[in-house]
Amino acid sequence: MIQTRHFPSCRASIIALLGASLSACVTSRVENVRENSTGIAEGEGIVIMAKSYHLGNETEENFISCVGDSIGRGKAGLRVVPNNEFVDALFPWFEPRTAPAETKGLPTLMSRPGVPEKIREKGVRYVVWLDGDTDKVAGGGSMSCAAGPGGGGCFGFAWWQNDANYEATVWDLSGLEDAGTVSADVSGTSFLPAIVVPIPLIARTQTKACNALADQLRLFIVAQEDDCYGARLRACHRAPARDGNTPNRVPRSLLRGRSTVRARSAAHPGTARRGTPCPRCGRTARRRSSVHPARPA
Amino acid sequence: MSIWLRTAVLAAAASSVVGCGGARVTLHDPTIPEPLIDRLPLSVAVRYPPVFDNFVHEEQIIGKEKWSIDLGRSNRLLFTQLFGSMFSDFNVIAGDTDPKDLPIDALIEPSIDAFEFSVPSQSQTDDFAVWIRYRIKIFDASGTQIANWPIAAYGKSQATTFGGDEALRRAAVLAMRDAAALIILQMDKATGISKLREARAQRETPPSPALPEEVNLQTTAAEEPPDDTD
């Protein structure tokens, strides 16, 4: 009796362990470029949108919902207004054909009747435009399967590589300006060896890109002046605050970068814009560069 | 081979056969949201063609499946809702009603020039796409045609795990919303419909010696270039 009680959990543990050890390799890189300071107050929210398919964008619908769910999840989650609810409320000004392509179009949009009121009613401070997709960039190997009345099986080996490249552009509707962009490039190779039974070792590139982008977006948006949010992750976590006593701590729950994740961003978001000296170190922040690079893996 | 494994193999084979069979998709009276616009101060009547009450489009993909989409009364509902939000006074009239007997500024006659769609097996993507080409004719109160405006609308939706029916339906609804957005955005600019109120006012003023404005209002909006995005 004792054995039968323990076996299922033991089996499950072994399977989980096996699954974890057999997962395929994924590498990722997350970057952000800040144009203006951000921050979010209570009651304010964001909406995640796909760039228009009229402009050739191919961002998958499930990726958009994944990023929205991920940003809104947990204690540190932001309020995410459902995409279709926002688009319907502002019909027809956020349709694929009519949505502003640049922040230059925001003043015109805000001058339309009922638009500012509706945005205020929905409590949307930031619009995040997603662009990019996941593509299969390489593959090879061969596998053949056969089945008959007496049984079946597969033999062979196949592999393929997926690249997920996404960019999120953040618009601040309160200042009608571009707050910056966050991008995630994730690459993963999946393997499928088969000796009678195929053993899939799937690299979940899109899911990885979704989580990485969502985490970085959340950090990017909640950043306040002189805070370390969004920058350098671990390095920032240790930086002393201005008073020299309490470090500006990034919540541990947000520091989920692994050794394969390299977070690079302009230092001290909010204060260190492109070309301006960083107040803590005296160096100059550059676009897509890192003043305080993430600790090497 | 165990029974469950055989069953699984047979189920997989059956589902793959069904997946190639195409589908018949029906739109169940989709609606558009209330637009955030100011109404044009015009009294407008709309006359729908019979096809707006029952529109079915079928497409046989050579060597593959057959798809059909039944829009039903969707077009009638779309334009009724749209024009009802665009104009201060709006009525739908029957096909045999003479607009000259009505106190209106304009008569609108929408129609469908073409309807097309593509499925993933054609486009080699995960997307279902729908193109609708509408034509909007506008007549003034005396029955003179003042505009003949073709509009091309496009909608795209990705296939879901549960099949293409919902994706094709969604693509069709998005194409209709796209048409509505385009009409809201460009109708006045492309057709000059708002000038008809002034024309009618001038015509109804007895001592006015002014020439009828409608002579100068004749427009034939340029054909929109087809949307090449897929």
Side-chain angles (χ1 to χ4, degrees):
Chain A
M1 287 299 284
I2 294 169
Q3 280 182 335
T4 54
R5 274 183 199 162
H6 281 89
F7 261 132
S9 62
C10 185
R11 274 185 204 159
S13 305
I14 290 168
I15 289 168
L17 202 64
L18 202 65
S21 65
L22 293 178
S23 61
C25 178
V26 174
T27 58
S28 65
R29 191 178 68 194
V30 183
E31 295 178 333
N32 66 268
V33 179
R34 184 173 293 276
E35 303 286 347
N36 285 293
S37 59
T38 52
I40 194 159
E42 190 153 354
E44 291 179 336
I46 68 167
V47 63
I48 313 282
M49 307 273 290
K51 276 195 179 169
S52 170
Y53 51 65
H54 282 270
L55 303 173
N57 183 34
E58 302 271 338
T59 306
E60 302 86 353
E61 285 160 23
N62 61 347
F63 185 80
I64 297 160
S65 52
C66 172
V67 172
D69 292 347
S70 194
I71 289 180
R73 199 180 300 136
K75 284 181 184 172
L78 305 180
R79 191 172 75 83
V80 181
V81 176
N83 170 307
N84 51 359
E85 186 184 310
F86 182 76
V87 173
D88 281 357
L90 285 145
F91 183 80
W93 307 119
F94 277 88
E95 294 296 300
R97 182 188 291 273
T98 55
E102 297 175 318
T103 45
K104 278 190 287 186
L106 284 177
T108 311
L109 174 73
M110 289 304 208
S111 68
R112 298 196 185 280
V115 170
E117 294 80 11
K118 199 56 95 173
I119 288 174
R120 222 173 4 254
E121 182 191 314
K122 289 285 167 197
V124 172
R125 166 84 186 271
Y126 296 100
V127 178
V128 177
W129 295 99
L130 292 182
D131 193 2
D133 59 357
T134 300
D135 282 326
K136 181 182 168 184
V137 292
S142 68
M143 181 181 299
S144 54
C145 297
C154 297
F155 292 92
F157 176 80
W159 66 274
W160 62 95
Q161 184 186 340
N162 284 346
D163 278 5
N165 300 314
Y166 294 94
E167 186 174 86
T169 306
V170 183
W171 287 4
D172 185 349
L173 294 182
S174 67
L176 307 184
E177 61 192 7
D178 188 351
T181 58
V182 177
S183 62
D185 297 340
V186 179
S187 181
T189 307
S190 302
F191 305 98
L192 186 61
I195 303 170
V196 183
V197 178
I199 303 163
L201 308 172
I202 306 295
R204 301 178 68 206
T205 50
Q206 195 184 57
T207 307
K208 183 77 182 172
C210 163
N211 293 331
L213 192 70
D215 287 350
Q216 192 67 15
L217 266 173
R218 191 161 43 185
L219 288 164
F220 182 89
I221 287 170
V222 301
Q224 301 285 342
E225 292 279 331
D226 296 333
D227 268 2
C228 284
Y229 283 102
R232 295 162 289 119
L233 295 180
R234 294 177 185 84
C236 180
H237 186 65
R238 294 161 165 230
R242 280 196 158 176
D243 59 7
N245 298 323
T246 318
N248 286 329
R249 288 198 172 272
V250 176
R252 285 256 176 220
S253 60
L254 296 178
L255 294 175
R256 292 195 295 167
R258 294 192 178 182
S259 58
T260 51
V261 176
R262 287 171 288 153
R264 298 195 296 165
S265 66
H268 307 298
T271 54
R273 315 235 170 98
R274 273 182 289 157
T276 59
C278 165
R280 291 204 185 128
C281 54
R283 292 170 67 180
T284 303
R286 287 175 291 132
R287 186 177 180 86
R288 290 190 185 275
S289 68
S290 167
V291 174
H292 302 279
R295 242 175 9 183
Chain B
M1 187 191 285
S2 63
I3 290 172
W4 70 265
L5 190 56
R6 280 183 198 176
T7 311
V9 169
L10 285 172
S15 68
S16 67
V17 171
V18 170
C20 295
R24 183 180 174 87
V25 175
T26 305
L27 259 65
H28 300 290
D29 298 346
T31 57
I32 56 168
E34 181 70 23
L36 285 178
I37 50 171
D38 286 333
R39 283 188 164 88
L40 287 172
L42 284 171
S43 179
V44 167
V46 172
R47 187 158 55 197
Y48 295 118
V51 73
F52 268 41
D53 286 323
N54 184 22
F55 184 89
V56 180
H57 177 80
E58 289 186 346
E59 203 146 314
Q60 173 78 55
I61 299 162
I62 300 167
K64 292 186 178 174
E65 67 269 26
K66 183 179 180 180
W67 287 82
S68 77
I69 183 162
D70 182 356
L71 298 186
R73 301 176 72 241
S74 305
N75 287 300
R76 172 184 276 269
L77 290 172
L78 168 79
F79 281 99
T80 302
Q81 206 180 347
L82 176 65
F83 292 141
S85 307
M86 284 180 72
F87 301 109
S88 57
D89 187 17
F90 165 76
N91 290 296
V92 179
I93 60 171
D96 54 355
T97 307
D98 188 353
K100 289 176 189 166
D101 301 336
L102 302 170
I104 56 170
D105 298 312
L107 171 71
I108 302 176
E109 278 189 2
S111 59
I112 297 180
D113 273 2
F115 186 98
E116 290 176 49
F117 63 79
S118 73
V119 298
S121 62
Q122 291 172 297
S123 61
Q124 305 299 319
T125 65
D126 292 335
D127 302 324
F128 284 81
V130 169
W131 293 264
I132 311 176
R133 188 172 287 264
Y134 290 104
R135 184 170 294 275
I136 292 180
K137 290 181 180 172
I138 299 178
F139 302 86
D140 67 6
S142 61
T144 308
Q145 181 178 307
I146 63 137
N148 183 357
W149 183 36
I151 56 173
Y154 172 67
K156 189 179 86 168
S157 183
Q158 284 165 349
T160 60
T161 317
F162 302 104
D165 295 20
E166 188 53 44
L168 182 56
R169 195 176 291 126
R170 170 110 182 110
V173 171
L174 287 174
M176 293 168 81
R177 281 177 72 127
D178 190 41
L182 181 61
I183 291 168
I184 289 170
L185 204 65
Q186 292 188 357
M187 186 172 190
D188 193 26
K189 201 164 69 177
T191 66
I193 192 170
S194 61
K195 292 176 189 165
L196 288 178
R197 187 172 181 81
E198 298 159 28
R200 186 178 169 220
Q202 283 179 8
R203 199 170 48 245
E204 287 178 352
T205 310
S208 173
L211 288 171
E213 282 287 324
E214 59 267 32
V215 175
N216 301 322
L217 287 174
Q218 176 75 38
T219 61
T220 302
E223 192 85 9
E224 278 228 341
D227 200 335
D228 291 328
T229 51
D230 54 3

